[in-house]
Amino acid sequence: MTEELHHGQMQRVLIVEDEVDIADLIKFNLQRAGYEVSQAHDGIAGAEMAIRERPDLMILDLMLPGRDGYSVIREIRRDARTSRIPVIMLTARAQTENRIQGLEAGADDYLTKPFSPKELVLRVNAILKRTDAPPGAVEYEFGPFRFDKNAVKFYLDNEPLDLTATEFKLLLYLCERSGKPQDRNELHRVVWGYSDEVHSRTLDTHMKRLRQKLGAHGALIETVRGVGYLVAAPLS
Ligand code: CA
């Protein structure tokens, strides 16, 4: 029982990477950090394994045989069984456009090759870190929004809305500090675990997608020029 419980608590990461050396290096470092790791070496097997295994997080190379990383991200985002799995994509140095496309397809973060395995583990830890939910404060309501911090589930006008864990963290952070503009580097640091000094577009892409998902309520998120983002205090 204790064994099973322990097993159940271990977070699982799926690596989809055709370069076996890189995949093995990532696997070694993640296992050492306490994760259970599985691997696929092409896009077709990667998408199948994501749906079958429903890992807690996926590390996905963009350039893959079989089918590329964008197509894999799009598929898992469309499928209700996998739509909330965080994805860190791996890109080659020169592929700025590809990176933006990957973020727009629904990746949570990216790393440019060559990267340090230590950096990768930090990124994985940051994304999988749960929003702190002190006992008695597991639900948070804000205007038409309701956050279930325990289950990481979001409701808009009492209907469940499919936000990824990263989108959930971002929106919750902004709502809990409503009325005060939040600095983009600080936002990035809180949600992704590192600051956005290089203006990676990660934050802006996530904000764009959040606004789209929130529909008419997306206008609650305001861009504050030269600073970052603001959620206006709800009308009461
Ligand atoms: Ca590749």
Side-chain angles (χ1 to χ4, degrees):
M1 183 65 197
T2 315
E3 194 77 11
E4 261 172 50
L5 211 64
H6 177 75
H7 185 78
Q9 283 168 346
M10 212 166 161
Q11 288 180 300
R12 293 171 300 122
V13 178
L14 170 62
I15 303 167
V16 188
E17 164 64 270
D18 57 315
E19 287 165 80
V20 177
D21 289 352
I22 296 179
D24 286 343
L25 183 68
I26 299 172
K27 182 178 179 179
F28 173 78
N29 281 276
L30 285 173
Q31 283 178 331
R32 209 170 49 171
Y35 295 102
E36 195 180 311
V37 180
S38 51
Q39 287 187 18
H41 299 301
D42 65 73
I44 296 165
E48 282 171 5
M49 281 174 77
I51 289 163
R52 197 172 61 232
E53 296 183 1
R54 291 186 234 173
D56 296 292
L57 183 140
M58 243 173 115
I59 294 168
L60 179 65
D61 187 32
L62 279 183
M63 296 300 131
L64 290 166
R67 61 193 286 196
D68 65 24
Y70 312 109
S71 136
V72 176
I73 299 181
R74 274 186 225 106
E75 178 175 345
I76 69 161
R77 286 285 173 262
R78 268 198 308 265
D79 191 317
R81 292 168 295 179
T82 52
S83 61
R84 297 166 74 236
I85 297 174
V87 175
I88 298 178
M89 61 179 174
L90 305 177
T91 67
R93 186 178 286 282
Q95 300 168 333
T96 311
E97 275 314 307
N98 299 1
R99 196 170 72 206
I100 292 164
Q101 254 181 284
L103 287 167
E104 284 176 348
D108 292 74
D109 201 358
Y110 69 89
L111 273 169
T112 304
K113 290 176 182 176
F115 52 84
S116 91
K118 194 179 151 201
E119 178 68 25
L120 179 97
V121 171
L122 291 175
R123 300 278 182 99
V124 170
N125 290 343
I127 287 184
L128 288 177
K129 192 176 156 219
R130 284 286 188 107
T131 314
D132 295 327
V138 289
E139 289 230 333
Y140 174 72
E141 287 194 37
F142 182 91
F145 305 159
R146 182 155 54 90
F147 299 83
D148 179 339
K149 296 186 188 181
N150 253 355
V152 197
K153 284 204 167 136
F154 178 76
Y155 300 85
L156 177 63
D157 292 327
N158 289 320
E159 294 291 325
L161 182 72
D162 209 12
L163 297 189
T164 66
T166 303
E167 291 162 354
F168 182 95
K169 277 192 239 178
L170 254 182
L171 187 59
L172 178 63
Y173 188 85
L174 286 169
C175 289
E176 286 181 332
R177 288 155 188 81
S178 68
K180 298 179 205 108
Q182 299 300 315
D183 174 78
R184 54 178 301 124
N185 285 336
E186 180 60 13
L187 259 179
H188 207 283
R189 197 189 57 74
V190 168
V191 175
W192 282 271
Y194 63 103
S195 63
D196 180 36
E197 275 139 13
V198 292
H199 300 293
S200 66
R201 299 274 299 262
T202 308
L203 179 66
D204 300 321
T205 311
H206 275 78
M207 286 303 187
K208 188 173 150 193
R209 205 163 49 234
L210 249 180
R211 281 176 172 142
Q212 282 166 357
K213 285 188 178 180
L214 295 172
H217 296 297
L220 281 172
I221 305 175
E222 296 169 23
T223 304
V224 186
R225 229 175 220 278
V227 181
Y229 291 92
L230 163 79
V231 163
L235 304 169
S236 51

